[in-house]
Amino acid sequence: MLTEPTSPEELLPLTPAVFHVLLALAQEERHGYSIMQEVAATTEGRVKMGPGTLYGTIKRLLKAKLIEESDERPDPDLDDERRRYYRITGFGRRVLNAEVSRYSKAIKVARKVGLEGAL
Amino acid sequence: MKPMQPLPKIAAISDRIYRKMLRLYPASHRREFGEPMAQLFRDQCRDAWKHGRYAGLLRLWLRTLPDFGKTCLIEQINKIERNIMKYLNGKNLPTALLIAGLLLALLSFSPFVMPYHGVFMLLAMASALAILAKACVEFIRPANEYPRVVLRTLILMFLYAVILPAWAKLKMQAGIKTPVAHDPFGMMLMVCLFANPLVTGIKILQFFLQRRKN
């Protein structure tokens, strides 16, 4: 559950939606639609989140303090001022790092056993 | 601010329908995320229209509807769960259950109830279930509330020490002479009643174990 975390490991494994949202925000601050487009782009369209899933995930991440709302606008002239921007927190980055490290270990094991997908 | 292109009529209708559908989410979720969700869907409509016209919008709806249904249900369930937990975490709930149990027990002695054995049994069982519910709620409450749990249990045991023989007498008068130990009704009463001192013992133990650990 993404509530009252104390250490990053307690929150692992992350759900695909949480992982991809954090990954999208690890690069830069984004608004909802930008997160959705980034997730679709990085997963080559395999993960397509609807507004319900995206904002449900954002709600849980905000509650767990893995992300926070940002007051800054990357370029106010180029964007709709009503959009809400989100950014990853320090704790969110640690959780993402821990998850990536978990994936790396799994890939190492997969390589050892000669799984083609990991080569 | 970048001026947004107006939505084509069909996309604008889609946007309006989606906004209306958002009312199915719990009010708290809608207040917090309703506007961004609607804005996101509007952006999606604009893109879908740009890339696929009517077919694009149709594909968007086919993707959005299952997502909407699933997340709406999840948010509603979460809301119910939060409300239940909020209610269960209410400090006065065990006291309210104790009072309810006692009132039901007292009601079973009413002269209007006594002639009807079925009603009497129903009230006695409801009273027993209320005190069992009290024990269950106290079980999930924090251990540091143990003095209140002890006090409530003492009151409960004292009052039921008076009520139980009275009930037994009433049953005898009604012509049911089975010993309490072999009587499912009596056994149920005993289980519900003794769940309370058991929970009290657990809470005291839990409190001292936690204190020792800290």
Side-chain angles (χ1 to χ4, degrees):
Chain A
M1 284 290 285
L2 289 176
T3 47
E4 296 175 18
T6 50
S7 78
E9 284 72 22
E10 273 180 40
L11 298 180
L12 305 185
L14 301 178
T15 63
V18 167
F19 177 74
H20 287 297
V21 170
L22 285 178
L23 200 59
L25 291 175
Q27 300 159 37
E28 58 179 330
E29 293 179 13
R30 292 178 191 274
H31 53 72
Y33 192 47
S34 168
I35 296 172
M36 191 184 266
Q37 284 177 316
E38 178 63 17
V39 171
T42 52
T43 60
E44 293 164 348
R46 279 192 295 271
V47 177
K48 279 183 179 166
M49 286 189 274
T53 302
L54 180 72
Y55 278 97
T57 306
I58 286 176
K59 185 181 178 178
R60 289 200 300 279
L61 291 173
L62 284 169
K63 197 176 171 192
K65 296 187 170 63
L66 298 188
I67 64 169
E68 60 194 3
E69 211 175 312
S70 165
D71 297 328
E72 292 162 25
R73 294 282 173 276
D75 190 347
D77 294 335
L78 291 173
D79 210 348
D80 185 338
E81 62 188 13
R82 289 168 303 176
R83 285 189 197 277
R84 287 190 205 166
Y85 277 77
Y86 300 97
R87 65 173 162 233
I88 195 165
T89 61
F91 182 62
R93 202 171 279 279
R94 275 164 53 209
V95 170
L96 185 62
N97 270 326
E99 183 69 334
V100 171
S101 155
R102 200 177 65 86
Y103 280 153
S104 302
K105 282 174 195 163
I107 289 169
K108 268 185 197 169
V109 175
R111 278 190 185 137
K112 266 187 192 170
V113 296
L115 287 176
E116 284 171 23
L119 297 173
Chain B
M1 191 177 95
K2 193 168 96 176
M4 287 280 177
Q5 278 183 345
L7 278 179
K9 198 177 175 186
I10 183 80
I13 292 169
S14 288
D15 177 41
R16 277 204 298 277
I17 294 171
Y18 188 76
R19 277 179 181 276
K20 292 226 184 299
M21 282 165 58
L22 285 175
R23 290 181 191 169
L24 294 173
Y25 279 97
S28 56
H29 185 82
R30 217 168 49 231
R31 268 196 303 276
E32 205 176 351
F33 297 107
E35 189 49 45
M37 282 170 77
Q39 192 173 21
L40 195 150
F41 186 71
R42 199 164 51 243
D43 288 338
Q44 283 186 303
C45 283
R46 190 174 282 116
D47 264 13
W49 179 257
K50 198 171 139 190
H51 294 118
R53 300 280 151 171
Y54 290 99
L57 277 177
L58 182 68
R59 276 196 298 274
L60 174 64
W61 271 109
L62 289 176
R63 259 200 335 264
T64 305
L65 282 175
D67 176 78
F68 179 87
K70 191 182 92 181
T71 56
C72 196
L73 191 69
I74 290 172
E75 291 302 332
Q76 288 291 357
I77 291 170
N78 285 347
K79 184 193 156 197
I80 294 168
E81 204 178 85
R82 271 197 308 275
N83 284 346
I84 291 173
M85 286 317 288
K86 198 172 145 189
Y87 189 65
L88 287 180
N89 281 336
K91 272 191 174 180
N92 297 325
L93 183 61
T95 310
L97 286 168
L98 172 65
I99 293 169
L102 290 170
L103 284 178
L104 286 164
L106 291 176
L107 202 62
S108 69
F109 296 109
S110 150
F112 303 107
V113 171
M114 267 192 253
Y116 308 102
H117 186 67
V119 181
F120 162 75
M121 292 290 276
L122 206 69
L123 284 170
M125 273 195 276
S127 167
L129 289 176
I131 60 168
L132 180 67
K134 171 200 163 290
C136 294
V137 172
E138 279 173 342
F139 186 71
I140 58 168
R141 303 272 315 146
N144 59 8
E145 283 181 17
Y146 82 93
R148 282 163 179 251
V149 179
V150 172
L151 180 69
R152 278 191 292 257
T153 304
L154 283 174
I155 295 170
L156 174 90
M157 297 306 278
F158 176 74
L159 291 172
Y160 272 79
V162 180
I163 292 167
L164 281 180
W167 271 346
K169 200 176 163 188
L170 277 177
K171 282 191 78 187
M172 294 277 276
Q173 280 170 1
I176 306 159
K177 288 178 183 170
T178 46
V180 169
H182 299 144
D183 169 20
F185 170 71
M187 280 168 72
M188 191 193 104
L189 274 180
M190 289 300 157
V191 168
C192 295
L193 188 63
F194 283 97
N196 285 276
L198 181 70
V199 167
T200 308
I202 292 170
K203 286 287 127 181
I204 294 171
L205 195 68
Q206 198 182 357
F207 175 77
F208 285 104
L209 284 175
Q210 276 176 6
R211 210 169 70 162
R212 218 175 126 186
K213 201 176 159 187
N214 294 333

